[in-house]
Amino acid sequence: MSSTAGSTLARGETDLEEETSVRAAAQRPYHVVVWNDPVNLMSYVSWVFRTYFGHSSDRAHELMMQVHEKGRAVVATGSREQAERDVTAMHHYGLQATLEEN
């Protein structure tokens, strides 16, 4: 009987650790990455960054240049849920975007 109690305790600890790990992953910040594409004008990409994210003109231009020159830029960081909303919004604006764990 004590071996069953011991295995139950170990199982309970494993479940708790797994639940804690899942919660920690959900709270971990995620990056919204916008990727370069051959379609959108640079001025349009800057406008989207200003309009949707509220970036200043200078910051929007800087991020747009990262996208243009380096092929990608992290344009926002937040919860997984917020990052998913932002990625969906970028798709609605016609931009290629993904989220990545920080």
Side-chain angles (χ1 to χ4, degrees):
M1 184 167 196
S2 64
S3 66
T4 305
S7 66
T8 303
L9 180 59
R11 174 72 176 145
E13 288 175 343
T14 303
D15 288 345
L16 181 58
E17 289 172 2
E18 184 177 325
E19 182 179 329
T20 302
S21 175
V22 168
R23 254 189 261 158
Q27 294 173 355
R28 185 176 302 132
Y30 284 77
H31 294 308
V32 177
V33 179
V34 173
W35 298 88
N36 193 27
D37 66 57
V39 177
N40 292 295
L41 296 174
M42 291 189 291
S43 58
Y44 175 71
V45 174
S46 289
W47 177 83
V48 170
F49 294 165
R50 287 191 323 271
T51 303
Y52 181 80
F53 294 107
H55 291 308
S56 68
S57 293
D58 289 343
R59 181 67 178 147
H61 180 78
E62 178 183 314
L63 290 169
M64 175 275 299
M65 289 305 294
Q66 284 180 24
V67 170
H68 180 67
E69 294 173 350
K70 297 180 181 176
R72 62 174 260 156
V74 173
V75 297
T77 301
S79 69
R80 182 179 179 95
E81 293 78 18
Q82 184 60 52
E84 288 172 347
R85 283 191 294 271
D86 293 345
V87 166
T88 299
M90 293 302 97
H91 294 167
H92 285 273
Y93 280 104
L95 301 181
Q96 296 177 10
T98 57
L99 65 96
E100 64 183 32
E101 253 182 291
N102 184 13

